[in-house]
Amino acid sequence: MVTVPPVSRPPIILPSRGVARVKSVLSGDTVILLGKAQTPNGKAPEVIFTLENISAPRMASKGNGNVDEPGAFPAREWLRQMVVGKMVSFEVRKQGASAGDRVYGLLSVTPPGGTPDQTISLAQEAIRNGFATPRMTPTANGTAETTDDGIEGGTEEEEWKMSLWQAYDEAKRSQAGIHSQTPLVRKIKNAGEAFETLELVQLSQKVGSQGGKIKCVVEYIFDGSRFRIQVIDPAMGELQYGSFTLLLAGVSSPRVGNPRATPPSQSEDFADEARTFAELRILQRELDITLYGTDKSGVCGVGSILHPKGNIAVELMKNGLAKMSDWSLRMMSPADVPALRIALNNSKQTNLGIWHSYAPPQLAGASVIIGTVVEVLTGDTVNVLPDGVAYDSEDRLVKISLASIRAPRIGNERVGRANEPYSPECRDRLRVMTVGKPCKVQVHYERDIPYGNRTETRQFGTLSTKTKSDVGETLISEGLATTQYHKDGEETSPRYDDLRAAESIAKAATKGLHSENEYKSTAINDLSDPKKAKAYSGSLMRAGKLKAIAEYCFNGARFKMFIPSENCYIMFAPNALRCPQPSPPVGSTRQGKPAEPFGDASKRHARLTVLQRTVEIDCSGCTLGGVIVGSIFVGSGASRRDYGIELVGAGLATVDQRKIDYGEAPQNLVDTQAAAQTNKVGIWSIAQPVDTTYRAPSKSTERQKDEILLARISEIRSGTHFFYHIVNDEASKVMDKSMKLFTTNNGTAGAPCDYKVNRVVAALFDDGTGKSWYRAKIVEKQPGNKAVVLFFDHGNMATVPVATHLRPLDPSLGTDRIPPIAQEATLALTLSRPLSDEYGMDAARKLQSLCWGKDLSIRTTGRDENGKMAVTISTGSNETVNEELISAGLARVAKPAAVQTLAANMVNGSAVIKLAAELNVAQEAARRSRSGMWVYGDIGDDDEEEG
């Protein structure tokens, strides 16, 4: 072992007279004087200066059992309060080799409120106040005899010495200081030996004045953020004079080296500057301290020093002499953190101190990403498809993690890791808020994430949607995630303090992860096993339409679905479809096998349209492999569509030929495939191994002619869905008279009737002129003996009590004799959002303002995929209502597949193609001007509501 000898420095020689600043006070008769640094960044010289001819009681130290000599602490405190941090005048009497490592002499200072020429001798005042005694013995003739200082006195010297004895006599007579009957004897109590630091913290929070503040003195400074503290607050009882190490909360300064350590350690850059900065401002000052807790060892306290002129932590940060300390920052009140953050940013921008070579992080990718969230991977990571980027490869997706957010980890069965508490809830909440929605990501930093033998550069940022300015903050405020612990100096989110404030609120409310209740995970019934699937398939088919969430996408037409109402997973596929197989997943045994033509495109379409969306399924059967088959509908309201038809119409799937041969394939699927073949889209654009003898039934492909009708709207269901009456229709007049007569003959009292679903009955309705009976169809039964009915002669719906608002309808008024008067229609190739969405409601109001109460020219363009009549409406202006809604950004144009399907079913299909082109021009204009729903940029295909 090599022993490094201490560095030998020549003693500092002071001039005989001068002025200097007092750095600290060692005892009642000794101080440390601070000189002026020779260079701007150099260390200022220091010298130990002892008052000549006086002696103060010895302070407590390890050498005397940590116990003061009587009166030692008050003596030190008096001198500390008099001179620390102030300029004093000195007169040297003895220095050099004969004085050892210190200088002896006289010190004088201007008293508080005095003028510069009014000075007092500190030695004389110390004796007069009973804080020191003379070191000479008076002779018999009244003169003083020198003791060990060896200074020969002349007349002036003798007078000086006698003045000290006179002061001494005054102190004794008044029993001041050490001459009192019971001078203070202080015993230092060290944390970790005499008491536990946590005990001090708890006591300070309980009895400390002004919200937990306690009076302390900074005895020693290790570095810019670590101090030796002595408690002097009487309110602390037995812990008064307790001594402990304080770590400054929220900051961490460079460490000062220790050349005597084994091995010796060197100071970090700017460590000496940070310590000097703190020494000049707080060393041996009496200050208020707020304690928050302890470090991991439990020995060091963590807190803030409250200086009358400011916060020392902020000042250190402002001058580039400290970094943020995330672990201790969390102990502070969120309201105290922004000042530190602002100071840190200023020092970084101005390259001060430790940030002299700082440069903002360079991003490999874009700093701002605007796009659509395609998939949620974990509770804090998503895949985003940037706007303007064609989704022709999975590499087009950008993986984004939420900056400074830590979500509970999702389990992994392959490695035997279970879900952390609230991980499914966090991931699902993020899914509801983001999937399929336009978003904006402000990227703050990047990290290299190791994955086995490779490394992935991940971007971290703040993700916002139309309704959520920061989805990460929402997760934290709901107790589903926490803020990330960062290493000191590590890049964080600029909104880190806001995130911590949200976390504090969630903790106070004991939400989610902060709940005191034991977390209980919900067991989900997995029906992916064929035996289980077959056993439960009957109940699923009887349940009718069900809400489901597509958890995973195997190909364009096969999904793992979660059904919340049934609490089960199922394997699901649209009925009668055959989808090309995509490329095998990375890491699978089939990796490297080529995809079938359009297999990857079909899967990407499913990921964009169905994956992690809430969809509606209607189960109709179960395959031998345990796959539940049926219909799947995506979107809601006017944008609701059959996914199977959409997939076939886009040429990304085919109808199973065996289903066609046996007549089991739905006719609308067969017709859609015929249109896709005709237009050579998708898989029909290349030669396919399909049965070339196949011909769609002639009945379903019979083309329709367009018609122009004069009509009035009778009911509006959404911005693009309504019912209308033909103007001057005789059937309407006959039905009005017939129902008035029915009301006259039967009164308005209900009568017993069979109220099965789809049964036609008479239902009571008040249109403002009084109650009357109208023809209606029962749509749904509801609890409480109520029913939802459709008044099909007008198009409106209502929920009515069965006993009082229904009665049997006369057979002569049935629909077999007089068909429904109101015709159901949609605006051709025009999609709006549901009424629950603000833009959906605006679209409906726009349709009402343009059309309600007016005779309209309606042109039919055939029936849409749901069997409703698709129309265009002209109100006399140059534009159709379809165009006006799209121009205002309140509706969108249907997909090309829907255009082709509608055109294929019309005799004048070119008119449909022309209409689509006009609507697309209007949509592009709305998108460029950010009108309506385009205000946040491009939108996704799925506009379902957020949960």
Side-chain angles (χ1 to χ4, degrees):
M1 181 181 297
V2 177
T3 303
V4 178
V7 178
S8 177
R9 295 186 178 90
I12 297 173
I13 304 299
L14 294 182
S16 60
R17 295 177 184 271
V19 294
R21 186 179 301 277
V22 176
K23 174 184 176 182
S24 61
V25 176
L26 302 181
S27 65
D29 59 8
T30 303
V31 302
I32 295 180
L33 296 182
L34 192 65
K36 185 177 181 181
Q38 299 300 312
T39 60
N41 296 323
K43 185 173 177 60
E46 300 175 2
V47 65
I48 301 175
F49 195 102
T50 298
L51 294 173
E52 181 210 24
N53 290 335
I54 73 170
S55 176
R58 186 181 178 190
M59 292 282 289
S61 66
K62 289 184 178 179
N64 59 7
N66 287 330
V67 178
D68 289 332
E69 290 183 356
F73 184 67
R76 199 289 300 264
E77 285 297 278
W78 174 83
L79 187 57
R80 179 186 66 77
Q81 293 170 1
M82 288 288 291
V83 300
V84 163
K86 298 178 182 178
M87 300 299 292
V88 296
S89 299
F90 64 83
E91 180 181 340
V92 175
R93 294 295 185 89
K94 182 180 178 181
Q95 65 177 327
S98 63
D101 62 348
R102 62 183 63 197
V103 175
Y104 293 88
L106 304 179
L107 292 177
S108 59
V109 65
T110 302
T115 60
D117 58 343
Q118 295 175 333
T119 60
I120 60 174
S121 169
L122 289 175
Q124 195 173 28
E125 288 300 310
I127 293 175
R128 180 175 291 113
N129 286 277
F131 297 130
T133 59
R135 297 183 65 187
M136 316 72 73
T137 305
T139 62
N141 60 4
T143 62
E145 178 177 272
T146 62
T147 57
D148 56 352
D149 288 335
I151 300 175
E152 298 181 359
T155 303
E156 184 178 349
E157 183 70 20
E158 289 178 358
E159 290 178 357
W160 160 249
K161 293 176 180 179
M162 290 307 299
S163 69
L164 296 182
W165 279 103
Q166 290 171 3
Y168 176 72
D169 290 339
E170 290 179 26
K172 288 188 70 176
R173 284 195 299 270
S174 61
Q175 294 186 338
I178 59 177
H179 307 298
S180 66
Q181 293 181 355
T182 56
L184 175 66
V185 176
R186 179 194 60 149
K187 180 177 175 141
I188 297 178
K189 307 175 185 70
N190 291 315
E193 297 174 358
F195 68 94
E196 297 297 328
T197 308
L198 183 59
E199 179 186 354
L200 176 67
V201 174
Q202 293 171 342
L203 186 61
S204 70
Q205 295 170 349
K206 182 178 180 181
V207 302
S209 61
Q210 302 177 8
K213 300 176 184 176
I214 57 173
K215 294 287 183 185
C216 296
V217 173
V218 180
E219 294 287 350
Y220 184 76
I221 294 182
F222 299 101
D223 56 46
S225 59
R226 290 189 305 146
F227 320 114
R228 192 68 179 171
I229 302 292
Q230 178 165 254
V231 179
I232 62 171
D233 198 329
M236 299 305 291
E238 293 183 357
L239 294 183
Q240 186 182 11
Y241 308 126
S243 180
F244 69 99
T245 299
L246 175 73
L247 305 182
L248 204 56
V251 300
S252 175
S253 289
R255 291 298 179 95
V256 175
N258 184 1
R260 298 179 181 178
T262 305
S265 60
Q266 294 184 345
S267 296
E268 298 176 359
D269 290 343
F270 294 94
D272 292 332
E273 289 86 343
R275 181 165 69 173
T276 301
F277 185 91
E279 286 176 342
L280 291 175
R281 288 158 178 80
I282 64 172
L283 181 60
Q284 284 205 334
R285 271 52 163 203
E286 183 178 316
L287 300 167
D288 287 333
I289 291 179
T290 299
L291 293 175
Y292 306 126
T294 68
D295 66 350
K296 291 181 179 180
S297 70
V299 175
C300 300
V302 179
S304 296
I305 295 179
L306 310 174
H307 195 285
K309 293 185 178 180
N311 188 327
I312 186 65
V314 173
E315 294 304 315
L316 285 166
M317 198 80 78
K318 189 185 299 182
N319 288 274
L321 298 175
K323 298 179 180 180
M324 289 289 251
S325 175
D326 186 63
W327 71 268
S328 60
L329 194 76
R330 290 174 171 271
M331 298 184 182
M332 302 173 63
S333 166
D336 297 332
V337 177
L340 292 174
R341 193 78 61 187
I342 292 171
L344 174 65
N345 292 336
N346 288 340
S347 63
K348 283 183 175 180
Q349 292 171 4
T350 52
N351 296 111
L352 290 177
I354 58 178
W355 307 109
H356 63 94
S357 60
Y358 171 79
Q362 299 298 313
L363 302 176
S367 60
V368 177
I369 300 173
I370 298 176
T372 303
V373 177
V374 174
E375 181 182 10
V376 170
L377 302 174
T378 66
D380 56 16
T381 304
V382 300
N383 272 333
V384 176
L385 178 65
D387 287 350
V389 175
Y391 186 26
D392 53 12
S393 168
E394 293 300 317
D395 295 336
R396 302 292 189 182
L397 300 180
V398 180
K399 187 182 290 186
I400 299 290
S401 289
L402 303 180
S404 298
I405 303 292
R406 199 276 181 190
R409 293 178 69 187
I410 298 291
N412 188 333
E413 294 182 359
R414 288 180 295 179
V415 297
R417 186 179 72 229
N419 285 333
E420 291 184 358
Y422 292 97
S423 58
E425 290 84 351
C426 180
R427 181 172 179 264
D428 190 65
R429 182 63 176 135
L430 183 60
R431 176 193 68 81
V432 169
M433 289 192 291
T434 61
V435 167
K437 293 179 172 59
C439 71
K440 179 179 179 181
V441 181
Q442 186 73 45
V443 181
H444 305 310
Y445 55 87
E446 295 174 342
R447 299 266 167 79
D448 289 334
I449 309 297
Y451 278 96
N453 55 2
R454 66 184 180 91
T455 300
E456 173 189 284
T457 300
R458 178 85 55 81
Q459 294 177 306
F460 291 76
T462 298
L463 190 152
S464 58
T465 63
K466 182 181 70 173
T467 57
K468 303 292 182 184
S469 60
D470 186 347
V471 298
E473 183 176 2
T474 300
L475 293 174
I476 289 177
S477 64
E478 294 177 2
L480 299 175
T482 58
T483 51
Q484 180 72 47
Y485 282 87
H486 289 283
K487 297 178 181 178
D488 292 350
E490 199 171 53
E491 293 293 335
T492 66
S493 166
R495 304 195 71 252
Y496 191 63
D497 300 330
D498 297 318
L499 299 178
R500 285 195 60 242
E503 185 175 11
S504 298
I505 295 173
K507 283 182 178 178
T510 62
K511 291 183 178 179
L513 290 164
H514 314 294
S515 173
E516 297 175 355
N517 299 326
E518 182 182 357
Y519 175 76
K520 295 182 179 179
S521 59
T522 303
I524 301 175
N525 191 13
D526 191 351
L527 304 184
S528 57
D529 178 76
K531 292 183 179 180
K532 281 189 175 183
K534 292 173 185 177
Y536 281 88
S537 61
S539 63
L540 294 176
M541 287 186 282
R542 289 190 295 271
K545 291 182 172 60
L546 295 166
K547 293 291 185 182
I549 301 168
E551 293 283 340
Y552 187 77
C553 172
F554 296 95
N555 60 36
R558 185 172 179 179
F559 309 94
K560 181 180 181 180
M561 294 276 189
F562 171 60
I563 306 176
S565 61
E566 303 294 326
N567 191 40
C568 68
Y569 290 116
I570 63 169
M571 303 299 291
F572 185 88
N575 189 29
L577 293 191
R578 195 275 176 191
C579 194
Q581 291 303 307
S583 303
V586 175
S588 72
T589 56
R590 298 182 296 111
Q591 185 175 350
K593 182 179 179 181
E596 293 181 1
F598 290 92
D600 288 333
S602 179
K603 182 177 180 179
R604 287 194 293 269
H605 180 80
R607 285 169 58 80
L608 276 179
T609 310
V610 181
L611 181 63
Q612 293 188 343
R613 314 294 178 91
T614 299
V615 298
E616 188 177 75
I617 60 174
D618 191 355
C619 304
S620 59
C622 180
T623 68
L624 294 175
V627 179
I628 306 296
V629 296
S631 300
I632 176 171
F633 300 92
V634 296
S636 58
S639 63
R640 182 176 181 271
R641 57 200 186 276
D642 188 320
Y643 174 74
I645 290 179
E646 179 176 288
L647 202 63
V648 172
L652 300 176
T654 60
V655 183
D656 191 334
Q657 185 61 43
R658 293 170 299 176
K659 298 285 186 180
I660 296 174
D661 295 340
Y662 291 112
E664 297 176 358
Q667 192 59 50
N668 56 358
L669 274 180
V670 177
D671 296 342
T672 302
Q673 178 169 274
Q677 283 180 298
T678 301
N679 295 299
K680 297 186 181 300
V681 295
I683 58 179
W684 303 107
S685 63
I686 59 176
Q688 294 292 318
V690 296
D691 185 0
T692 56
T693 61
Y694 163 73
R695 290 179 178 81
S698 59
K699 181 178 179 180
S700 64
T701 57
E702 204 171 274
R703 298 193 173 190
Q704 304 175 27
K705 294 182 179 180
D706 55 350
E707 294 180 87
I708 298 178
L709 308 172
L710 188 62
R712 278 198 171 207
I713 290 181
S714 61
E715 176 70 7
I716 293 176
R717 291 285 180 82
S718 73
T720 53
H721 180 200
F722 55 92
F723 288 75
Y724 65 90
H725 286 163
I726 302 298
V727 175
N728 297 323
D729 183 15
E730 290 297 324
S732 177
K733 298 177 182 178
V734 170
M735 184 52 60
D736 284 344
K737 291 180 181 179
S738 299
M739 294 312 297
K740 287 179 181 178
L741 181 61
F742 183 89
T743 303
T744 301
N745 294 336
N746 295 282
T748 57
C753 68
D754 186 5
Y755 67 105
K756 294 180 179 178
V757 175
N758 294 327
R759 181 64 57 92
V760 175
V761 296
L764 200 61
F765 185 80
D766 189 351
D767 62 358
T769 61
K771 294 181 179 180
S772 183
W773 294 101
Y774 295 86
R775 295 195 302 172
K777 181 175 73 171
I778 297 174
V779 176
E780 181 184 348
K781 292 182 180 181
Q782 289 199 339
N785 205 29
K786 293 183 179 181
V788 179
V789 297
L790 167 67
F791 297 94
F792 50 73
D793 290 327
H794 299 275
N796 58 311
M797 298 180 71
T799 301
V800 299
V802 172
T804 59
H805 282 62
L806 296 184
R807 68 179 304 120
L809 187 68
D810 289 350
S812 60
L813 300 176
T815 54
D816 56 336
R817 298 193 178 186
I818 305 177
I821 304 302
Q823 303 296 313
E824 189 174 11
T826 59
L827 293 179
L829 307 180
T830 309
L831 307 176
S832 67
R833 291 182 173 176
L835 294 179
S836 57
D837 187 282
E838 57 176 312
Y839 295 117
M841 181 59 72
D842 289 344
R845 288 171 178 160
K846 179 80 171 177
L847 179 65
Q848 183 185 38
S849 66
L850 293 172
C851 301
W852 191 261
K854 300 177 183 179
D855 291 344
L856 306 171
S857 176
I858 293 180
R859 178 185 292 273
T860 63
T861 58
R863 296 195 176 274
D864 65 11
E865 57 191 9
N866 295 317
K868 300 181 181 67
M869 183 62 70
V871 303
T872 58
I873 301 178
S874 175
T875 58
S877 62
N878 292 331
E879 289 185 330
T880 63
V881 171
N882 310 51
E883 289 179 81
E884 291 196 37
L885 284 172
I886 290 174
S887 297
L890 301 177
R892 295 182 294 131
V893 184
K895 290 185 175 182
V899 177
Q900 296 295 338
T901 300
L902 195 60
N905 290 334
M906 295 297 296
V907 172
N908 186 13
S910 60
V912 175
I913 302 298
K914 180 182 178 182
L915 172 63
E918 293 170 350
L919 296 183
N920 276 305
V921 171
Q923 178 171 279
E924 182 62 20
R927 188 185 66 80
R928 286 198 305 269
S929 62
R930 297 294 178 92
S931 299
M933 68 178 72
W934 305 98
V935 64
Y936 294 100
D938 289 352
I939 59 177
D941 292 330
D942 188 344
D943 296 317
E944 73 181 49
E945 288 297 290
E946 177 187 317

